Amino acid sequence: MNGTGVWRVAVRADGDFEIGADATVDVRDKGFTSSQGPHPYSGACGGSHGGIGTGESCASYGDPYAPITVGSCTFGNSSYYGGGAIELNAGGAFVLNGQVIASAKDSPNHYGGGGGSAWITAASLTGSGSVLANGGKAPDSTPGGGGRIALCLTGDGQDFSGFTGKVEAIQGGTGGADSPGTIYRETAATAGNGELEVSGRGVMPARRSYTGLPARDEPYRFSKVILRYGARLGVMQGAVAHIGAIEGESKGFASLTLFGGTVILPQDATISKVNLLVMDPGSQLLAEGGDDATELLALTLAGDAQLTCDTPLTLAALTMQGGAVMKHSDNASDGYLSVSMDRYVRIDLTVAGDVTIDEGATVDLVGIGAKAFSTTQPGMTTSKSGSHGGSAADTAADRSFGSLAHPIEPGMGGQYNGSGAYGDAYGAGAVKIIAGGVFTLNGSILAHGRYFGNVAVGAGAGGSVWLSGSRLVGKGVIKELRAAHPESNIIAVDY
């Protein structure tokens, strides 16, 4: 079951097609019924489709170019089904002043469904109506994810300037645990390589909430990807996406996330106003080469961009302009709590050429290492402060750990009164950058643990910094800020 092969509205006109101001094509609540869909549910959660519903238990599905799949329904005996599917095709002009609705039905309390599909193809599109494929609202909990919309123009020289209405595939909730769907627009000039828009409700998405590009036989190709209002577009394992340009918003708010997939950008690409998040193993950032070939990417992060790197990544070159930030995800709050140190995420970059970190740019590892929760981990004691390169000040035993030459471990967090409980005094994270060329550091690398001034709570330990290049030049800083108790990090520089 993949969401296709089900009933849907499909209307084709050889000539013009008009939907008047008081007319509606409505398939709300006509998607999958209770606990049905491509990925059946085993717990309380919202329905998914283009974006996942609250609960993160279902993968995104459907084709952003030609959406005909219906929205999933939710757990249990919910009667608030996913949205249905609409396909409207005109050989001539399409005038839309009414409504095309493929949204899920809103719930008065729990379990909203996933939005459906709306696909309109015509020579031209004008009017002030609306096309909706929204996820179902659920005020108490578990709203649904957004659906998928495609608007395709076949007439020579036509564009979307004549349509002033609403096009929307947002999620049902406002808490960040569910995700919007996709809106794809193409003209005759951009057929098969149009623009993909993902627009949310203006809230930061949860770590594993996303709008998905699932794996498929052919690569995705988009002239532009537009990410707005807290959108997180996920390129899933096995998926390949060629993206000509990325239009984002404020730093860290909208993100392009690699969940094991591959993103291919123009060579010497500059990322601006977006968080580029390389999350799962197998993720690749590559550059367009000749004759459909790919090569390593020379990446530039503008001052309003962020790179969050949780898995090993290889680049041709890296430049961070003033204001740019690089970090990894927060181990202390994002579920990386294994007693095995190799389970913690860290920045692990291999760069064939030069690395340049300009003044004002920051590699920020502050307080994103480990937290105190187990005395079986390195550096953990019944003392209050965490250890790493040096032992905590409030322990008599030597609890230091980590490699002097090749440091990769995070600093451990502080405990509350030595009880094993923890507050927010987390250790610092870890970074490893191996450059084949010159390493120019005029910005900052910050790797200190947190301390909040509470004498009952131990401070977090410093993290790890491992830099290598043919030469190290610049006037930047590699900095550990000592508060009352933070213990030393480990810094290794090879050149």
Side-chain angles (χ1 to χ4, degrees):
M1 181 182 290
N2 61 8
T4 62
V6 295
W7 291 103
R8 68 180 185 274
V9 171
V11 181
R12 296 174 176 84
D14 291 336
D16 297 340
F17 199 136
E18 181 173 359
I19 299 177
D22 297 324
T24 303
V25 182
D26 190 348
V27 293
R28 277 177 289 195
D29 204 27
K30 296 297 189 292
F32 284 109
T33 59
S34 182
S35 297
Q36 297 296 310
H39 305 274
Y41 299 91
S42 59
C45 54
S48 298
H49 188 187
I52 67 168
T54 303
E56 305 178 15
S57 64
C58 173
S60 169
Y61 61 93
D63 184 348
Y65 297 104
I68 57 173
T69 43
V70 301
S72 292
C73 192
T74 63
F75 169 71
N77 295 317
S78 171
S79 58
Y80 303 99
Y81 304 153
I86 300 170
E87 180 186 353
L88 306 176
N89 191 307
F94 198 112
V95 180
L96 176 59
N97 288 308
Q99 298 185 80
V100 175
I101 306 176
S103 300
K105 185 177 180 180
D106 293 334
S107 166
N109 40 55
H110 306 282
Y111 313 135
S117 291
W119 179 15
I120 297 176
T121 302
S124 63
L125 177 64
T126 59
S128 58
S130 57
V131 184
L132 308 176
N134 296 330
K137 296 179 181 179
D140 294 339
S141 66
T142 57
R148 295 196 186 271
I149 295 173
L151 304 177
C152 304
L153 303 184
T154 58
D156 291 340
Q158 295 295 322
D159 59 28
F160 293 97
S161 60
F163 182 72
T164 59
K166 178 189 293 186
V167 182
E168 196 172 74
I170 58 176
Q171 69 271 46
T174 58
D178 52 345
S179 298
T182 58
I183 301 170
Y184 175 74
R185 297 178 177 90
E186 73 171 32
T187 64
T190 62
N193 189 34
E195 295 185 356
L196 185 73
E197 176 186 341
V198 183
S199 293
R201 287 185 175 270
V203 293
M204 285 288 288
R207 177 177 171 79
R208 288 281 171 178
S209 294
Y210 66 91
T211 303
L213 293 178
R216 53 182 253 161
D217 293 337
E218 296 295 321
Y220 296 95
R221 296 183 185 275
F222 303 114
S223 58
K224 181 187 289 187
V225 167
I226 302 167
L227 304 173
R228 294 175 175 160
Y229 311 124
R232 172 174 287 165
L233 179 63
V235 183
M236 313 311 294
Q237 185 174 20
V240 176
H242 295 255
I243 299 175
I246 304 172
E247 181 181 311
E249 48 186 358
S250 57
K251 179 166 52 182
F253 199 53
S255 67
L256 175 63
T257 302
L258 278 63
F259 291 101
T262 298
V263 168
I264 302 172
L265 299 170
Q267 187 54 278
D268 300 320
T270 297
I271 301 299
S272 177
K273 295 183 178 180
V274 71
N275 179 7
L276 187 57
L277 203 165
V278 185
M279 181 175 287
D280 288 347
S283 299
Q284 294 187 89
L285 273 175
L286 299 174
E288 299 282 5
D291 299 324
D292 290 331
T294 59
E295 53 193 53
L296 292 179
L297 175 68
L299 178 64
T300 297
L301 298 176
D304 50 10
Q306 177 173 307
L307 173 64
T308 303
C309 199
D310 291 352
T311 193
L313 180 66
T314 300
L315 298 170
L318 174 64
T319 299
M320 296 177 61
Q321 298 177 353
V325 174
M326 178 163 55
K327 63 191 307 182
H328 58 69
S329 293
D330 189 343
N331 283 292
S333 62
D334 285 333
Y336 295 100
L337 298 176
S338 169
V339 297
S340 174
M341 293 298 286
D342 62 6
R343 290 288 301 277
Y344 288 95
V345 297
R346 58 184 64 89
I347 298 171
D348 186 350
L349 282 180
T350 301
V351 181
D354 297 339
V355 172
T356 304
I357 302 177
D358 290 339
E359 183 176 2
T362 306
V363 179
D364 187 358
L365 310 173
V366 178
I368 58 174
K371 65 180 176 182
F373 82 108
S374 170
T375 57
T376 65
Q377 290 189 80
M380 286 306 304
T381 70
T382 55
S383 66
K384 291 184 292 186
S385 295
S387 298
H388 185 194
S391 292
D394 44 6
T395 179
D398 181 6
R399 298 289 180 175
S400 63
F401 66 97
S403 169
L404 292 176
H406 303 136
I408 58 172
E409 294 89 356
M412 304 310 297
Q415 301 180 67
Y416 181 76
N417 279 332
S419 65
Y422 49 83
D424 292 328
Y426 305 143
V431 59
K432 170 188 170 186
I433 304 177
I434 307 299
V438 177
F439 199 122
T440 303
L441 176 61
N442 288 310
S444 301
I445 299 177
L446 306 179
H448 54 278
R450 288 180 181 163
Y451 177 67
F452 290 94
N454 184 345
V455 296
V457 180
S464 292
V465 179
W466 177 4
L467 309 178
S468 179
S470 62
R471 286 188 298 149
L472 177 64
V473 299
K475 56 182 180 179
V477 295
I478 304 173
K479 199 169 187 179
E480 178 207 17
L481 295 179
R482 285 182 170 274
H485 295 295
E487 301 310 317
S488 63
N489 52 8
I490 303 177
I491 300 171
V493 179
D494 301 325
Y495 59 93

